[in-house]
Amino acid sequence: MTAPFLTLAQILNRLTLTARWTVRDHQPGPDGRCPLCRVPDCAVAAAARDVLTTIKQTHWSPPNPDALSPTPPPRRSCSFGRDE
């Protein structure tokens, strides 16, 4: 399924899964360094943890449907080509 057809819940689930996989893959080894980046403070793992924290702390709710579809302006009659 492509992104334009995903619901907010599906997008959040995919973000969560990706961030969890990233944290798992970049978990520091016994020497305290990331096994993939080989640095003590892995920026990738820190970013993934920030994503998970943001997803947990943010109150996700669907937008107000009335705000997305404002009422159209009233229709006016057109008098093009008419003699009045």
Side-chain angles (χ1 to χ4, degrees):
M1 203 180 269
T2 57
F5 301 108
L6 298 177
T7 65
L8 177 61
Q10 290 171 319
I11 293 169
L12 290 173
N13 286 339
R14 287 184 181 198
L15 279 172
T16 303
L17 286 174
T18 303
R20 285 180 182 172
W21 290 334
T22 303
V23 168
R24 183 194 64 209
D25 292 344
H26 290 262
Q27 188 71 21
D31 60 352
R33 297 189 308 172
C34 172
L36 300 175
C37 303
R38 303 305 302 160
V39 294
D41 296 323
C42 178
V44 176
R49 284 191 296 272
D50 289 344
V51 168
L52 290 172
T53 302
T54 302
I55 289 173
K56 288 177 190 174
Q57 291 178 350
T58 306
H59 175 39
W60 298 95
S61 62
N64 183 0
D66 295 333
L68 295 177
S69 57
T71 57
R75 299 185 92 190
R76 291 187 258 165
S77 62
C78 181
S79 62
F80 289 116
R82 295 185 188 167
D83 294 329
E84 292 184 17

